[in-house]
Amino acid sequence: MPATIVLGAQWGDEGKGKLVDQLASEADWVVRFQGGSNAGHTIVIGERKLAFHHLPSGITYSHCNLVLGAGMVIDPWKLEDELDRWFEFGGERPEGERLFISERAHVTLPYHRILDGADKEIGTTGRGIGPTYGDAIERVGIRFVDISNVLSDGGRIEQIVNRMNGRLSAAGLDSSITVDTLRADLEWISDRFGAAVRPTGLLVHHALERGENILLEGAQGALLDIAQGTYPFVTSSVTSRANATHGAGIHPGHVERTIGVVKAYTTRVGHGPFPAELHDEVGNHLGTVGHEFGTTTGRPRRCGWLDIVPLRHAMRINGFDEVVLTKLDVLGGLEKLEIVVGYRVDDAEIHEFPADLSMLERAEPVTLTLPGFESLDLGDWLKVAREAQATGRGYDVLPEAAQTYIQTVEQLLGVPVSSVGVGPDREASIERRA
Ligand code: IMP
């Protein structure tokens, strides 16, 4: 059985976790292939809310194997926190049993976090992501498989420490790293996680040969991609489909289905131009009703209407077979709905997403207007979703204006919306009628 990819189509926080959680019930393996502890998703189980950063959403299914892939940067201390919380909740220690760390993944150390903490330009999550990928690209990073070699080479540790301290002082930071702390950190990582470090690409390849189901879980979103996003206001990894298999250590021929997750409106955290952003009542509505605060940093997310211009770009890069439209319920209660379909830049109207950020900064959104639909509380939306399931009526159970909104998105993107989300509950999704 081939692989399925789930990707964010906007600036992250599209609600991928809920979809991965739904799909993971039928997956044998869930693989993260890029990013690190900058990602965040909250899993709601009964009364409990668990926030995860590294752990794939499939953790809640005990039959699911979990992989932190070669394309990731992993902060062992944050991972330990997550695993402790998982143990507290479920009494399980999955590491080495069903959670495997790629030997090729890079280690995020306190040094990387300190350096990232000095960022004022990009508005990063401060989790050391850029500096860890930076070291990987400069070919001076430490992969999980390298730890024992580094530990047995005193000269190399000293070299690493000197380099780190040089960088810290060049950045005007007081902190410094000592040989003893780096050694102690690496020894701890090796003791704590050594048993979980594996050739994960090979494990997933063998699973594919056995006909097992693989789910490749993207983090962040298309517009945060280092090459195709709103550079430099991006993350430091390739977030797109092309990297899903590469970062997992398998080849692209295994992929059968690529799903783009699109929030029914647009949000972004961190700095950078955002033409659809709203600083008015509607922006407040989206942020408040949608609970738009970052899972990793708690920062309020910037909110705006759904913007088709960057979505077209995301579609072209990723070739989504289908789109899952999340948080449609949040639009309920707005008198009219708008969708950004182009930008007016200087005297011209453009419909393709520009690489030049100064153009994006000058861009005035061109929108089309659709009728709004009423607001329901989450319990009522859940009832609507259950009715859709019980009767097989699909989107017909939705208010007419909500159906029009979905059809418009499909027409504008040229791809089917295979399901819509109407609340955080696992069951609060409505599938398109077959
Ligand atoms: P970094 O990934 O921490 O280096 O942050 C770079 C940019 O990506 C900043 O604008 C962050 O807010 C954004 N970012 C990183 N991870 C996420 C995410 O999971 N969701 C949304 N934005 C993110």
Side-chain angles (χ1 to χ4, degrees):
M1 175 72 196
T4 297
I5 305 176
V6 173
L7 297 171
Q10 295 155 306
W11 276 281
D13 310 315
E14 297 89 353
K16 297 177 286 293
K18 181 178 155 191
L19 176 67
V20 173
D21 178 55
Q22 286 162 343
L23 295 174
S25 66
E26 288 171 16
D28 301 294
W29 296 74
V30 183
V31 182
R32 280 274 313 268
F33 55 85
Q34 45 73 228
S37 69
N38 50 350
H41 52 253
T42 308
I43 299 187
V44 183
I45 308 168
E47 301 284 286
R48 285 287 302 265
K49 272 191 184 174
L50 299 173
F52 292 135
H53 302 284
H54 296 88
L55 294 177
S57 307
I59 189 157
T60 56
Y61 298 97
S62 58
H63 71 270
C64 249
N65 293 297
L66 310 168
V67 168
L68 306 182
M72 286 188 73
V73 292
I74 296 169
D75 181 330
W77 290 269
K78 299 277 182 244
L79 178 59
E80 160 146 273
D81 274 359
E82 286 169 64
L83 287 166
D84 283 351
R85 266 179 281 123
W86 178 249
F87 178 71
E88 224 178 85
F89 172 78
E92 186 204 2
R93 291 264 174 220
E95 52 275 36
E97 299 294 326
R98 66 182 183 104
L99 170 71
F100 307 106
I101 298 172
S102 169
E103 52 190 6
R104 292 174 182 273
H106 277 255
V107 181
T108 295
L109 292 163
Y111 155 77
H112 298 111
R113 264 188 261 127
I114 297 168
L115 206 55
D116 197 22
D119 161 70
K120 302 225 165 32
E121 297 295 315
I122 310 297
T124 70
T125 59
R127 293 297 181 93
I129 305 300
T132 314
Y133 277 117
D135 279 3
I137 295 293
E138 280 190 56
R139 293 155 294 182
V140 293
I142 303 174
R143 300 171 305 164
F144 277 83
V145 72
D146 299 324
I147 293 176
S148 56
N149 293 334
V150 173
L151 279 171
S152 60
D153 184 344
R156 189 155 167 212
I157 297 203
E158 208 168 307
Q159 224 177 21
I160 295 171
V161 166
N162 287 340
R163 190 182 151 278
M164 288 176 168
N165 287 334
R167 283 282 170 98
L168 291 171
S169 83
L173 295 164
D174 285 340
S175 323
S176 62
I177 310 293
T178 66
V179 165
D180 287 347
T181 51
L182 179 61
R183 179 179 287 285
D185 284 349
L186 292 176
E187 279 169 354
W188 173 77
I189 297 167
S190 178
D191 289 347
R192 179 69 183 79
F193 292 109
V197 177
R198 299 287 162 83
T200 53
L202 198 60
L203 294 186
V204 177
H205 177 82
H206 287 322
L208 282 158
E209 282 181 335
R210 291 192 299 271
E212 294 178 7
N213 272 337
I214 314 293
L215 194 56
L216 302 171
E217 176 181 359
Q220 291 85 47
L223 303 168
L224 290 172
D225 184 282
I226 185 80
Q228 294 293 341
T230 44
Y231 188 88
F233 301 102
V234 291
T235 191
S236 296
S237 62
V238 175
T239 59
S240 59
R241 174 181 183 168
N243 190 40
T245 46
H246 195 68
I250 54 171
H251 69 72
H254 291 296
V255 178
E256 183 175 70
R257 185 180 176 200
T258 302
I259 308 172
V261 184
V262 175
K263 186 148 51 180
Y265 49 97
T266 314
T267 60
R268 92 172 281 186
V269 264
H271 310 155
F274 178 10
E277 186 169 13
L278 294 167
H279 298 282
D280 59 8
E281 287 286 289
V282 175
N284 281 343
H285 170 105
L286 298 172
T288 315
V289 181
H291 303 290
E292 296 295 352
F293 295 92
T295 314
T296 302
T297 58
R299 289 181 289 180
R301 297 179 185 138
R302 301 154 66 193
C303 299
W305 293 119
L306 184 69
D307 190 347
I308 295 294
V309 185
L311 276 172
R312 272 195 213 106
H313 178 64
M315 275 288 304
R316 219 178 13 253
I317 299 160
N318 292 299
F320 302 128
D321 300 306
E322 62 198 90
V323 153
V324 166
L325 193 67
T326 61
K327 300 185 90 164
L328 186 69
D329 55 297
V330 174
L331 298 180
L334 293 169
E335 204 178 306
K336 60 181 181 56
L337 305 174
E338 290 184 52
I339 296 181
V340 179
V341 291
Y343 300 148
R344 195 161 298 109
V345 183
D346 307 328
D347 288 332
E349 189 173 314
I350 60 170
H351 298 97
E352 296 302 341
F353 198 61
D356 179 350
L357 291 203
S358 70
M359 275 176 83
L360 271 185
E361 267 152 16
R362 298 197 304 281
E364 293 291 331
V366 176
T367 62
L368 62 78
T369 304
L370 297 170
F373 50 91
E374 62 175 335
S375 125
L376 297 181
D377 65 29
L378 288 179
D380 286 333
W381 278 115
L382 192 56
K383 276 188 209 150
V384 172
R386 287 187 174 137
E387 187 195 338
Q389 215 158 20
T391 60
R393 286 177 60 214
Y395 301 158
D396 288 353
V397 297
L398 288 166
E400 214 176 299
Q403 294 182 45
T404 305
Y405 193 79
I406 298 168
Q407 283 155 11
T408 309
V409 172
E410 288 184 325
Q411 279 159 12
L412 290 168
L413 290 181
V415 70
V417 171
S418 55
S419 86
V420 297
V422 291
D425 196 282
R426 264 183 188 169
E427 286 182 62
S429 291
I430 302 177
E431 306 233 336
R432 160 180 279 294
R433 213 157 29 145

